[in-house]
Amino acid sequence: MNNHSHLLTSLNPAQRQAVLCSDGPVLILAGAGSGKTRVLTHRVAYLLEQKGVKPWQILAVTFTNKAANEMKERILQLSNGGGREAWIGTFHSICARILRAEAERLGYGKNFLIFDREDQKRFIKNVMNELNVSEKDFQPEAILNAISGAKNAFVSSSEYQAIAKAPFEYTVARIYPLYQSLLKQNNVMDFDDLLVNPLFLFQQYPEVLEHYQNKFSYILVDEFQDTNRTQYIFLKYLSGRHKNLCVVGDDDQAIYRWRGADIQNILSLEKDFPECKIFHLEQNYRSTRSILNAANSIVKNNQFRREKTLWTEKEDGEKVTILELDDAFSEALTIIGVIKDELVENGRNFSDFAILYRTNAQSRVLEDALRQAAIPYVVVGSVKFYERKEIKDVLAYLRLICNANDSISFKRVINFPLRGIGDASVLKLEEFAKAHAISLLAAAARVEEVNAIAPRIRKSIFEFQQLIAKYASLRRELSAGELAQTLVDEIGILRAFKEINTEESFSRMENVRELLLAIANYAKSNKGSNLETFLEEVALLTDIDTWDDQSNAVTLMTLHSAKGLEFPVVFITGLEEGLFPLSRTFDDIADLEEERRLFYVGTTRAQEKLFISWAAVRPRFGDSFHNLPSRFLKELDPQFIERKNLRRLYHFRSEKPVAEEMVKNEEDDLRDGYSQIVLGGEVKHELFGVGKVIKLEGRGENMKVNVRFYDVGEKRLVVKYANLEVLH
Ligand code: ATP
Ligand code: MG
């Protein structure tokens, strides 16, 4: 069998048609698990093998690095290695690659750095200071979000100025241009600039646009429903000449509206490319019939969607199980019980399981329980290795070595490890730098001229500058791994952590070692790499990339991270009003529909078994909330679900305790101090202050009270979690 027939026989007729229709614009709009990603990878292999397209003429884009790597692997496999030189990556990495080559035209250096959110916030604060905008009036985070939103909608600072109409927007309009020029001064781009700057480039330099338009004869995009305006325009530009743009997506899985994704792009595509061929795939290959039908019964509650059919040849399978639980802790224990049963009875691996949740904070209880049960697990996203302080400190050194203009990194490490250089001295150095229009590092080289700084400190600053200069010149002679290792040795931070000699400092030491290992491994496995490319890679890491899917472990992640993935057994936790759907979404139908799509994404990750849980009590923001089950649970078609009520503790109203239990409860009450809480008594709560107990219910662990707090009014609390102090 030659590759040609092999490529096509593993597809169903609709999928095959979509692959064969290789020229001209194509939109593949289809439900979850219908083989969209599969069509995309087969299409690339088909272009390479059958159409004689060269790999470097192909651009394939998706949203996470993980998805991009998976795509790359699948394409390499299908094309027997033929696709190695295709451009396959995330929007951000593809744009960064173009900008690396062209940034100078826009007034940046080629070695520009990429800022993460924390760095961005610091710049915003700088500008706010300069403009005398108080953080009491406007939150830097909110301003940053507004600017980011504008960039994702391809609204420049001058355009923003023209359309601002509320006080907050006027403030943003003043900050936006200054923030932008501060970035440029420091030779830095933020994440959004990576997407926006190529568009400016294409607008200002038609010959550059033409070059890339000619180069990419075939462009393919996965998860198209989550592209924002800027990304859409980018695609439109690049496909302008050949018009071989193939996008796949599912409007029911659009979950990034809050980050500027625009589902209207699907409509725009049909308008901008009237000759666009549309394909629908209707067979789902991923899930059992029960799971698929349950998922369909949810999403059909959305008003704003395109109707579509999705069916499966698979068997019914087990019904979807709804677990009703007392609290987050029993939720975790119940999930662990199911995992253990499945391991024994169905011979599964740990890696067959995924536990999904709406908010990151939900992972901690699950993690604790998994650890105690000795079940290996990985948390996607929460590890955030590269956001730890010690890691950022070392990275700041490396950034400064690569980019002398990086004032943020300069300030981060000028006194790390301690060199006796205080903020006041740095401020004076900054004034000098400003007066001479030079970078902080250049100012440090001339620190002798800054008389306002004490001679001893001048010496330290000068030594620091010499250190950085030395490594900057060694950069071309040493590998990235050697350079980082030597630098860390020279500045002695490992030793410093060791001297502190606490558990925390040891873990920091381990983290820095881990970083050195990561750099060394990176240098080894990426030919032609250097420190800059490593730093770029780090800056582009998204949450999903910390996931080591090779290890045999249960996966924990947010529903957003689970997009595009599949697992034999899936748990979706925390189906409670206020948590999922998240409470901010109650008033806005569009927000609520997005939450529902997110639930749909979660349910359609499951291949064989799906468990959905809700807990009556869940501590949030340090307080306990008494929850109602999520409205989404009522929307699930009862035919395809089975409810398991595992609630025991909080059924005090309907269940009268037997005498024996009453005695036991009395004892518990005395031991735990519950009995000290009496009707009419005063109690104190950490957050709410002092109040009077106006209602008591249940006993012992189950005891709940209504307290009328003098400051904040009536609250209903579970005594066990509320940590009340009895005043009398
Ligand atoms: P999502 O909407 O979640 O991104 P998708 O539409 O991209 O899903 P894929 O991930 O491509 O779907 O496919 C889902 C599963 O079905 C995969 O395991 C894939 O290998 C399998 N599959 C798809 N098409 C076929 C087919 N024709 N024959 C066998 N298996 C298939
Ligand atoms: Mg997919």
Side-chain angles (χ1 to χ4, degrees):
M1 201 188 329
N2 68 24
N3 275 319
H4 181 191
S5 55
H6 170 72
L7 266 180
L8 297 176
T9 48
S10 63
L11 300 172
N12 68 31
Q15 293 173 333
R16 200 174 306 141
Q17 267 189 334
V19 167
L20 287 172
C21 178
S22 56
D23 285 34
V26 168
L27 166 64
I28 301 170
L29 206 54
S34 59
K36 294 184 296 297
T37 305
R38 190 179 174 102
V39 164
L40 210 88
T41 50
H42 280 68
R43 203 177 152 90
V44 173
Y46 177 75
L47 289 171
L48 291 167
E49 303 237 318
Q50 300 302 318
K51 305 288 284 187
V53 179
K54 299 289 173 235
W56 54 87
Q57 297 178 304
I58 294 177
L59 172 65
V61 199
T62 182
F63 275 79
T64 60
N65 286 323
K66 161 118 191 94
N69 284 336
E70 222 161 69
M71 196 188 272
K72 208 178 274 179
E73 262 166 46
R74 283 209 227 171
I75 290 172
L76 284 181
Q77 239 170 21
L78 289 170
S79 64
N80 296 325
R84 213 175 296 279
E85 284 172 78
W87 283 41
I88 304 170
T90 61
F91 274 100
H92 287 95
S93 70
I94 297 286
C95 287
R97 194 164 165 188
I98 293 177
L99 288 170
R100 261 311 147 218
E102 317 285 349
E104 282 169 344
R105 295 180 197 261
L106 294 173
Y108 293 85
K110 271 201 164 69
N111 57 342
F112 67 85
L113 290 175
I114 302 164
F115 258 11
D116 67 12
R117 210 170 160 80
E118 202 190 303
D119 297 325
Q120 283 176 276
K121 229 162 50 193
R122 237 169 316 159
F123 263 25
I124 292 283
K125 283 184 186 172
N126 285 357
V127 178
M128 287 173 72
N129 264 339
E130 208 163 297
L131 292 176
N132 280 327
V133 176
S134 164
E135 283 185 40
K136 286 190 198 112
D137 299 328
F138 298 101
Q139 294 179 48
E141 189 95 13
I143 291 176
L144 189 56
N145 280 341
I147 294 177
S148 171
K151 289 187 187 176
N152 282 304
F154 197 35
V155 174
S156 69
S157 57
S158 52
E159 284 165 336
Y160 192 96
Q161 236 148 15
I163 54 174
K165 47 185 179 305
F168 172 72
E169 291 169 1
Y170 290 132
T171 309
V172 173
R174 285 165 60 213
I175 293 172
Y176 187 175
L178 292 182
Y179 168 71
Q180 229 30 54
S181 49
L182 194 59
L183 287 173
K184 208 170 207 174
Q185 246 169 34
N186 281 276
N187 197 22
V188 170
M189 297 193 195
D190 69 15
F191 244 62
D192 307 311
D193 288 333
L194 291 180
L195 302 179
V196 176
N197 281 339
L199 302 190
F200 288 134
L201 181 77
F202 295 158
Q203 285 180 343
Q204 288 166 31
Y205 296 92
E207 70 276 19
V208 176
L209 172 61
E210 212 171 305
H211 166 76
Y212 288 100
Q213 279 183 335
N214 284 333
K215 173 178 167 52
F216 296 124
S217 351
Y218 290 89
I219 300 174
L220 304 97
V221 188
D222 200 357
E223 309 277 2
F224 180 70
Q225 75 279 356
D226 284 324
T227 47
N228 62 36
R229 196 70 206 151
T230 304
Q231 288 160 329
Y232 178 74
I233 298 172
F234 177 73
L235 296 171
K236 197 175 142 188
Y237 266 129
L238 284 184
S239 57
R241 185 175 139 69
H242 297 288
K243 302 221 186 310
N244 295 327
L245 175 64
C246 169
V247 307
V248 311
D250 177 5
D251 55 327
D252 284 333
Q253 294 186 70
I255 53 173
Y256 282 105
R257 200 178 80 99
W258 56 281
R259 232 165 53 179
D262 188 355
I263 210 164
Q264 296 300 324
N265 285 340
I266 294 180
L267 301 177
S268 304
L269 188 88
E270 295 179 72
K271 232 189 284 142
D272 290 338
F273 299 88
E275 69 278 36
C276 181
K277 295 226 172 57
I278 301 176
F279 292 90
H280 299 287
L281 310 174
E282 299 189 335
Q283 181 171 2
N284 171 296
Y285 288 87
R286 181 179 291 144
S287 312
T288 63
R289 191 169 297 150
S290 299
I291 293 171
L292 190 64
N293 287 340
N296 285 338
S297 73
I298 299 160
V299 78
K300 77 171 200 286
N301 289 285
N302 272 1
Q303 292 169 29
F304 304 101
R305 67 182 289 258
R306 298 183 181 210
E307 199 51 51
K308 61 169 84 75
T309 326
L310 205 53
W311 56 275
T312 177
E313 271 175 359
K314 288 204 185 251
E315 74 243 3
D316 287 346
E318 277 178 30
K319 288 186 175 177
V320 173
T321 311
I322 311 256
L323 302 168
E324 307 191 325
L325 298 151
D326 286 320
D327 52 31
F329 187 61
S330 40
E331 180 181 60
L333 292 184
T334 306
I335 289 173
I336 286 171
V338 174
I339 292 177
K340 285 184 171 164
D341 287 351
E342 287 285 328
L343 287 170
V344 176
E345 285 165 23
N346 296 320
R348 293 193 198 275
N349 295 316
F350 290 119
S351 54
D352 290 342
F353 303 92
I355 309 177
L356 311 180
Y357 35 79
R358 180 66 183 83
T359 61
N360 265 312
Q362 284 165 259
S363 80
R364 197 195 50 79
V365 176
L366 292 162
E367 284 187 69
D368 287 349
L370 286 164
R371 215 178 302 117
Q372 275 167 24
I375 293 180
Y377 67 89
V378 279
V379 187
V380 177
S382 94
V383 181
K384 297 208 173 135
F385 180 80
Y386 288 98
E387 280 180 33
R388 292 178 186 154
K389 182 187 175 304
E390 62 277 14
I391 299 303
K392 293 195 78 162
D393 287 336
V394 177
L395 289 176
Y397 267 101
L398 301 178
R399 286 164 155 222
L400 186 58
I401 288 166
C402 289
N403 178 4
N405 293 333
D406 184 354
S407 58
I408 293 273
S409 295
F410 180 97
K411 283 195 256 180
R412 186 172 183 111
V413 294
I414 175 77
N415 201 32
F416 173 84
L418 299 179
R419 298 185 177 89
I421 304 169
D423 286 350
S425 305
V426 176
L427 209 62
K428 283 172 194 145
L429 190 70
E430 238 176 329
E431 280 164 12
F432 180 82
K434 229 180 192 158
H436 292 80
I438 54 176
S439 71
L440 276 170
L441 197 63
R446 291 168 56 182
V447 69
E448 271 313 305
E449 298 170 48
V450 192
N451 293 326
I453 301 178
R456 184 181 51 82
I457 299 174
R458 266 186 267 165
K459 184 164 171 281
S460 303
I461 294 177
F462 187 67
E463 280 169 5
F464 174 75
Q465 184 272 334
Q466 291 291 301
L467 175 85
I468 300 297
K470 179 172 100 188
Y471 281 94
S473 66
L474 280 174
R475 193 151 52 108
R476 302 274 162 248
E477 289 164 48
L478 299 179
S479 74
E482 290 164 339
L483 186 141
Q485 174 78 55
T486 322
L487 172 82
V488 164
D489 283 344
E490 176 157 0
I491 58 181
I493 49 175
L494 293 181
R495 212 168 18 204
F497 285 139
K498 207 167 178 180
E499 277 167 9
I500 299 172
N501 197 19
T502 62
E503 202 162 322
E504 198 206 19
S505 72
F506 272 104
S507 108
R508 286 176 176 226
M509 190 169 82
E510 285 309 310
N511 288 339
V512 173
R513 286 203 176 124
E514 185 67 40
L515 174 68
L516 293 175
L517 197 69
I519 301 176
N521 284 342
Y522 171 82
K524 246 185 261 159
S525 53
N526 291 279
K527 270 212 200 93
S529 66
N530 55 32
L531 203 51
E532 279 98 335
T533 58
F534 175 78
L535 290 173
E536 178 165 327
E537 184 110 344
V538 170
L540 291 177
L541 278 180
T542 59
D543 291 349
I544 197 117
D545 297 310
T546 47
W547 183 30
D548 173 13
D549 61 350
Q550 301 306 314
S551 63
N552 186 15
V554 174
T555 304
L556 274 65
M557 64 186 149
T558 63
L559 287 135
H560 281 98
S561 304
K563 195 169 73 152
L565 307 178
E566 55 191 20
F567 296 89
V569 183
V570 170
F571 301 90
I572 306 179
T573 65
L575 262 287
E576 294 132 32
E577 279 297 287
L579 182 59
F580 195 17
L582 209 59
S583 54
R584 69 174 159 78
T585 61
F586 287 163
D587 308 330
D588 185 341
I589 175 94
D591 282 344
L592 184 65
E593 295 212 339
E594 175 143 312
E595 293 284 307
R596 195 178 277 115
R597 289 193 294 270
L598 191 57
F599 188 37
Y600 175 71
V601 167
T603 51
T604 52
R605 299 310 97 198
Q607 294 171 302
E608 294 164 30
K609 290 194 184 177
L610 174 61
F611 297 84
I612 300 171
S613 56
W614 75 276
V617 174
R618 182 181 306 273
R620 284 180 73 198
F621 315 121
D623 190 10
S624 273
F625 276 82
H626 204 73
N627 302 307
L628 293 171
S630 166
R631 67 189 75 190
F632 295 156
L633 293 177
K634 289 190 215 97
E635 295 172 3
L636 284 160
D637 187 332
Q639 279 184 71
F640 309 113
I641 60 174
E642 180 188 5
R643 285 180 191 276
K644 279 202 179 143
N645 185 348
L646 302 173
R647 296 179 62 187
R648 282 172 313 206
L649 289 173
Y650 303 112
H651 272 189
F652 42 86
R653 232 175 277 156
S654 52
E655 292 165 12
K656 295 246 179 316
V658 292
E660 204 180 341
E661 266 176 353
M662 276 174 78
V663 175
K664 193 170 160 294
N665 280 338
E666 296 282 0
E667 283 170 9
D668 285 347
D669 285 358
L670 282 173
R671 198 174 58 237
D672 297 333
Y674 288 118
S675 64
Q676 292 175 14
I677 297 179
V678 292
L679 213 57
E682 265 190 325
V683 291
K684 188 173 169 198
H685 183 272
E686 204 176 22
L687 222 59
F688 303 140
V690 178
K692 199 171 240 164
V693 177
I694 54 171
K695 196 170 167 194
L696 268 176
E697 252 179 353
R699 315 193 64 88
E701 292 231 307
N702 314 341
M703 187 188 273
K704 281 190 289 181
V705 289
N706 284 30
V707 180
R708 186 169 295 137
F709 289 100
Y710 300 133
D711 286 334
V712 295
E714 194 177 331
K715 297 271 174 203
R716 187 174 164 81
L717 305 163
V718 176
V719 174
K720 183 182 168 193
Y721 295 105
N723 205 8
L724 294 171
E725 186 185 334
V726 178
L727 296 182
H728 55 256

